[in-house]
Amino acid sequence: MAPQREWFEKDYYRVLGVSDTASAKEIKSAYRKLSRQYHPDANEGDAAAEERFKEVSAAYDVVGNEERRTEYDEVRRLGPAAAGFPGGGGQGGFDFQDADLGDLLGGLFGRGRRGGPGRGGRGPHRGQDLETELHLTFDDAVGGLTTTVHLTSDAPCHTCNGPGARPGTSPQRCASCGGQGVVSDNQGLFSFSSPCPVCAGRGVTVDDPCPTCRGAGVERRPREVKVRIPAGVADAQRIRLKGRGGPGQNGGPPGDLYVVVRVSPHSIFARKGNDLTVTVPITFPEAALGADIPVPTLDGGPVTVRIPPGTRSGRTFRMKGKGVTSAKATGDLLATVEVAVPATLSSAERKALEAFQAASNGASPRDHLGVEA
Ligand SMILES: [Zn+2]
Ligand SMILES: [Zn+2]
């Protein structure tokens, strides 16, 4: 690990609550105590604890390692200028003031971004975010429910519970990198690091691998995750389940699981936001004379809509509060009437319609178009 700009800004000894002359043993025991106290597993949903856990891990990453601690002490003793950081004088083409030097160097020398999704490297890594789909019926999406999603993903190995060693044995510090997970090419105060090829960046090697995961610590297996679907979810909506994603590495927190809701269409109703829409066929006499028409609702029995005489096909009637209730609001039911034309006529119906036409005296709905019949 190269010296980081944050080494000047952060007092890792204070973060761990130890003096800067503390022994390695004192630092280790302080770190153990704090990391247990703020571990995400023990503080689910507590963002402050998560932040503290990250700080503690980052601090131990540096001062918990003898070589790095020496570098850290040295760099802090000499100050930014001596370490090659522009000290605010603004010389040269780069302004490191707000930049994360680790990222800059990582980009320049082909190392993965710190804290990025790349695997390996010592120190805690947050687990991957995962995504899965959940198919819901129209009614369940409107009403909400608690259900279970099934997915196959990486999870902590159920035999060794993570370390990758056969139960009863422990992983050994990697002899090649001394447990740092990285090998360094020293160039003065800077050192450019790449993941250790022996331990693949984990900092440990497993002599007696767990028979289930063969030392990986994770296994791909089917999982069941309970998910509460709020009432009124819409198709394509994403629901975040914090901490239910991929497992973290080296004590890092797990990622999140996103459940993408797929809502199947209803045979009668459709949705426009929180409004429900329904098409209601009516007869020509009902449209012309007016009528009381039963309209179905999603929850409960039909409601009656009064169609005034002379209602045109395509007119929409709004029923307040009969739509979908979500966390934000309740929608309306929009019933659109559509005059149904019979495909076949009985002879009595035919006679009646011909009589109607004759009685209309040739009046045509096309008169305004200026075309002759
Ligand atoms: Zn295992
Ligand atoms: Zn190694």
Side-chain angles (χ1 to χ4, degrees):
M1 185 190 286
Q4 312 278 324
R5 169 125 211 133
E6 60 199 33
W7 286 11
F8 303 109
E9 295 158 1
K10 295 207 171 125
D11 185 345
Y12 292 141
Y13 296 107
R14 254 183 65 186
V15 169
L16 293 170
V18 297
S19 79
D20 56 8
T21 56
S23 70
K25 211 173 154 190
E26 287 171 299
I27 289 175
K28 189 172 188 176
S29 95
Y31 163 70
R32 284 207 167 149
K33 188 164 157 272
L34 291 169
S35 69
R36 252 201 310 274
Q37 183 180 347
Y38 294 109
H39 196 279
D41 285 354
N43 299 276
E44 218 178 325
D46 184 344
E50 192 180 327
E51 203 41 54
R52 192 82 174 84
F53 179 73
K54 281 185 197 155
E55 274 180 19
V56 166
S57 301
Y60 186 66
D61 228 359
V62 176
V63 297
N65 176 283
E66 206 181 314
E67 241 177 73
R68 238 172 278 162
R69 183 182 176 188
T70 309
E71 258 186 309
Y72 175 70
D73 289 344
E74 182 76 353
V75 159
R76 281 174 71 85
R77 195 174 62 79
L78 295 172
F85 293 91
Q91 294 172 358
F94 290 102
D95 180 10
F96 285 99
Q97 210 61 37
D98 297 314
D100 183 326
L101 196 71
D103 279 350
L104 285 171
L105 295 178
L108 287 174
F109 294 95
R111 195 158 59 85
R113 271 180 66 93
R114 293 186 319 115
R119 300 202 146 223
R122 217 175 91 99
H125 281 279
R126 185 174 174 277
Q128 267 187 308
D129 286 342
L130 302 175
E131 192 174 284
T132 188
E133 283 193 351
L134 175 64
H135 292 262
L136 293 179
T137 66
F138 193 90
D139 292 73
D140 283 343
V142 169
L145 82 164
T146 299
T147 184
T148 307
V149 293
H150 300 262
L151 69 153
T152 299
S153 74
D154 281 351
C157 168
H158 74 280
T159 303
C160 64
N161 212 12
R166 183 184 292 274
T169 71
S170 300
Q172 302 299 309
R173 171 194 282 238
C174 171
S176 171
C177 62
Q180 296 185 51
V182 289
V183 285
S184 308
D185 175 17
N186 283 306
Q187 292 177 13
L189 263 175
F190 284 103
S191 64
F192 303 115
S193 315
S194 53
C196 169
V198 172
C199 62
R202 294 179 67 201
V204 292
T205 53
V206 173
D207 296 333
D208 194 1
C210 161
T212 306
C213 63
R214 296 196 180 97
V218 293
E219 59 173 341
R220 247 184 122 63
R221 60 177 156 93
R223 286 199 292 145
E224 287 189 349
V225 180
K226 231 183 182 180
V227 50
R228 199 184 63 80
I229 304 293
V233 290
D235 188 49
Q237 202 167 317
R238 276 156 59 98
I239 292 162
R240 176 169 175 247
L241 300 179
K242 199 168 182 296
R244 308 310 297 269
Q249 290 171 47
N250 305 329
D256 298 333
L257 172 64
Y258 289 89
V259 176
V260 180
V261 170
R262 298 288 172 211
V263 182
S264 44
H266 195 274
S267 58
I268 295 173
F269 297 101
R271 270 179 73 176
K272 247 190 203 166
N274 282 341
D275 288 340
L276 279 177
T277 63
V278 61
T279 298
V280 182
I282 56 175
T283 66
F284 174 69
E286 283 169 340
L289 303 172
D292 286 344
I293 303 290
V295 170
T297 61
L298 195 61
D299 55 342
V303 291
T304 300
V305 175
R306 172 147 294 178
I307 306 290
T311 293
R312 65 173 176 81
S313 188
R315 180 168 167 188
T316 297
F317 296 84
R318 179 180 289 266
M319 276 144 281
K320 278 256 171 245
K322 295 279 182 193
V324 175
T325 299
S326 73
K328 285 173 193 145
T330 295
D332 303 330
L333 173 59
L334 304 175
T336 301
V337 296
E338 190 180 271
V339 173
V341 177
T344 58
L345 295 171
S346 67
S347 63
E349 285 168 337
R350 176 176 295 277
K351 276 193 184 115
L353 282 173
E354 283 167 354
F356 169 77
Q357 198 163 32
S360 307
N361 267 332
S364 164
R366 293 180 294 276
D367 281 348
H368 70 288
L369 297 179
V371 288
E372 292 296 314

